[in-house]
Amino acid sequence: MKKNEIKREDHEAGISAAEHERQRAGQQSPGRAKATILKVHSVNDYARYIGAPVLHPLVSVIHYDELEHCRHSLNNYDVYAIFIGDETLEDLTYGLTTYDLHRHALMCVAPGQIGGKADTGEEIQTKGWALLFDPELLHATDLERRMSAYTFFSYNTNEALLMTAEQRQTIVCQMEAIRQELMGPADDHTPHVVLSYLQLILEYISRYYTRQLSLQTQASSDLLTRFENLLKRYYADGLQRTHGLPTVKYCAQELFLSPNYFGDLIRQMTGDTASNIIRRFVMQQAQKMLIGGVGVTAAAEQLGFEYPQHFTRMFKKHFGESPSQYLNRKR
């Protein structure tokens, strides 16, 4: 069901839903090795593969409990997807690792991500829901402009939304409403109704994640300390000489979090962004260097700036004056 950014051309073993159907029937394409990745170009590539009803070209709502011939699949997504597990699923793939999805957990997938579980040919009985929607559905809508705010589409598996039964039911009700709308006669109102329910689902997920983040910030009160110590160690180890300025991505990886989840935790704890905190730390080091007699060019190099001009611009943006103006005022 999830995830790791991947280039489609890197996976020549990937196949279409139609190819999977041929393999189910025992037909092998000439000259092609048995494939392991299902390319989900459209929402119905996945729906057809698992035997779910095809409701709309751009939206698919799947209730796994109703499926008779469902099979695992390792998927390469070109669409958005939201998965709710109503039982524990084990040994799912996430990039090069595996994970278990716990009961009532919700995970989100964005285009360009890969995950799931390789098809062994065994038919399975699983429980839960899936909602898949094509980016084309959002084109030129308010929801398309809002999508960047839903950072949970890039969370790691260990950052899945762990819902209560009531939260799960709230989201499932909206999924059922979309399915009911798609099963009825389509008219000019259908796209607006579907988008309204979809945005409501995303807002509920965002709300529930905010609550989860709040609980985790209370339980992880040392995160800011570990973040600051990480920045100190970055410079103490001289990593800026080869890696340049520390980044949110680097810090998140060192703290075993996805960049978006890390950023959301920091914002929840401080009301500020992780990138601002990094910049503030770097500028504090810059102040100490300049006061200690280090020149502007040398300070820029020692801090990991590629060019002194970049250092000067950041310093002026942060302090409201250039490094030379700062030094003149301090003398």
Side-chain angles (χ1 to χ4, degrees), residues 10 38 50 58 77 86 92 98 100 118 140 148 160 175 190 196 202 217 264 272 312 327:
D10 289 344
L38 174 67
I50 62 175
L58 303 178
Y77 295 95
D86 285 338
L92 300 172
T98 59
D100 298 339
S148 61
M175 289 186 176
T190 299
S196 295
L202 297 178
T217 55
D264 289 344
D272 203 355
T312 299
L327 283 173

Coordinates of all heavy atoms in Angstrom, one line a residue, residues 10 38 50 58 77 86 92 98 100 118 140 148 160 175 190 196 202 217 264 272 312 327:
D10 N 12.7 2.7 -14.2 CA 13.7 1.9 -13.4 C 13.1 0.5 -13.2 O 13.8 -0.4 -12.6 CB 14.1 2.5 -12.1 CG 14.9 3.7 -12.3 OD1 15.5 3.9 -13.4 OD2 15.0 4.5 -11.3
L38 N 2.8 -4.1 -10.1 CA 1.6 -3.7 -10.8 C 1.7 -2.2 -11.0 O 1.8 -1.4 -10.1 CB 0.4 -4.0 -10.0 CG -0.9 -3.5 -10.6 CD1 -1.3 -4.2 -11.9 CD2 -2.1 -3.7 -9.6
I50 N -7.8 -6.5 -8.5 CA -8.3 -7.2 -7.3 C -9.8 -7.6 -7.4 O -10.4 -8.1 -6.5 CB -8.1 -6.3 -6.0 CG1 -8.9 -5.0 -6.1 CG2 -6.6 -6.1 -5.7 CD1 -8.9 -4.2 -4.8
L58 N -11.9 8.2 -12.9 CA -10.9 8.9 -12.1 C -11.0 8.6 -10.6 O -10.2 9.1 -9.8 CB -11.1 10.4 -12.3 CG -10.9 10.9 -13.7 CD1 -11.2 12.4 -13.8 CD2 -9.6 10.5 -14.3
Y77 N 2.5 3.5 -8.1 CA 1.3 4.4 -8.2 C 1.5 5.6 -9.1 O 2.6 6.3 -8.9 CB 0.9 4.8 -6.9 CG 0.4 3.7 -6.0 CD1 1.2 3.1 -5.1 CD2 -0.9 3.3 -6.0 CE1 0.8 2.1 -4.2 CE2 -1.4 2.3 -5.2 CZ -0.5 1.7 -4.3 OH -1.0 0.7 -3.5
D86 N -8.7 -2.9 8.3 CA -9.5 -3.3 9.4 C -9.0 -4.6 10.1 O -9.8 -5.3 10.8 CB -11.0 -3.5 8.9 CG -11.6 -2.1 8.7 OD1 -11.2 -1.1 9.3 OD2 -12.6 -2.0 8.0
L92 N 4.3 -6.1 4.6 CA 4.1 -5.2 3.4 C 5.4 -4.5 3.1 O 6.2 -4.3 4.0 CB 3.0 -4.2 3.7 CG 1.6 -4.7 4.1 CD1 0.7 -3.6 4.6 CD2 1.0 -5.4 2.9
T98 N 10.3 -3.8 5.1 CA 8.9 -4.3 5.3 C 8.3 -3.8 6.6 O 9.0 -3.3 7.5 CB 8.9 -5.9 5.3 OG1 9.7 -6.3 6.4 CG2 9.4 -6.5 4.0
D100 N 4.4 -3.8 9.1 CA 3.0 -4.3 9.4 C 2.1 -3.2 9.5 O 2.4 -2.2 10.2 CB 3.0 -5.2 10.7 CG 3.9 -6.4 10.7 OD1 4.2 -6.8 9.5 OD2 4.3 -6.9 11.7
A118 N 4.1 -8.4 -2.7 CA 4.2 -9.1 -4.0 C 3.2 -10.2 -4.1 O 2.8 -10.9 -3.1 CB 5.6 -9.7 -4.1
A140 N -7.4 22.2 -11.7 CA -8.0 23.6 -11.7 C -9.1 23.7 -10.7 O -10.1 24.5 -10.8 CB -8.6 23.9 -13.1
S148 N -1.0 20.5 -1.4 CA 0.3 20.7 -0.7 C 0.2 20.8 0.8 O 1.2 20.5 1.5 CB 1.0 21.9 -1.3 OG 0.3 23.1 -1.0
A160 N 1.9 6.1 10.2 CA 0.6 6.0 9.8 C -0.4 6.5 10.9 O 0.0 6.7 12.0 CB 0.3 4.5 9.6
M175 N -16.4 7.7 2.5 CA -16.0 6.8 1.4 C -17.3 6.1 0.9 O -17.5 6.0 -0.4 CB -15.0 5.8 1.8 CG -13.6 6.3 2.1 SD -12.4 5.0 2.4 CE -10.9 5.9 2.6
T190 N -22.3 15.6 -10.1 CA -21.5 14.5 -9.6 C -20.0 14.9 -9.3 O -19.6 14.6 -8.2 CB -21.5 13.3 -10.6 OG1 -22.8 12.9 -10.8 CG2 -20.7 12.1 -10.1
S196 N -16.3 17.3 -3.0 CA -16.7 17.8 -1.6 C -16.5 16.7 -0.6 O -15.9 17.0 0.5 CB -18.2 18.2 -1.6 OG -18.4 19.3 -2.4
L202 N -10.1 14.4 3.5 CA -8.7 14.9 3.7 C -8.6 15.8 4.9 O -7.6 15.8 5.6 CB -8.2 15.5 2.4 CG -8.1 14.6 1.2 CD1 -7.6 15.5 0.0 CD2 -7.1 13.5 1.4
T217 N 4.1 14.9 20.4 CA 5.0 15.9 20.9 C 5.1 15.9 22.4 O 6.1 16.2 23.0 CB 4.5 17.3 20.4 OG1 3.2 17.5 20.8 CG2 4.7 17.4 18.9
D264 N 6.2 18.6 10.6 CA 4.9 18.8 11.2 C 5.0 18.7 12.7 O 4.4 19.5 13.5 CB 3.9 17.8 10.7 CG 3.5 18.1 9.3 OD1 3.7 19.3 8.8 OD2 2.9 17.3 8.6
D272 N 6.9 27.1 14.6 CA 7.9 27.5 13.6 C 8.2 26.3 12.7 O 8.0 25.2 13.1 CB 9.1 28.1 14.2 CG 9.8 29.1 13.3 OD1 9.4 29.2 12.2 OD2 10.8 29.7 13.8
T312 N 25.7 36.2 2.7 CA 25.4 37.6 3.0 C 23.9 37.8 2.9 O 23.3 38.5 3.7 CB 26.1 38.5 2.0 OG1 27.5 38.3 2.2 CG2 25.8 40.0 2.2
L327 N 29.1 44.1 11.8 CA 30.4 44.2 12.4 C 30.7 45.7 12.7 O 31.3 46.0 13.8 CB 31.5 43.7 11.5 CG 31.6 42.1 11.5 CD1 32.6 41.7 10.4 CD2 32.0 41.6 12.9

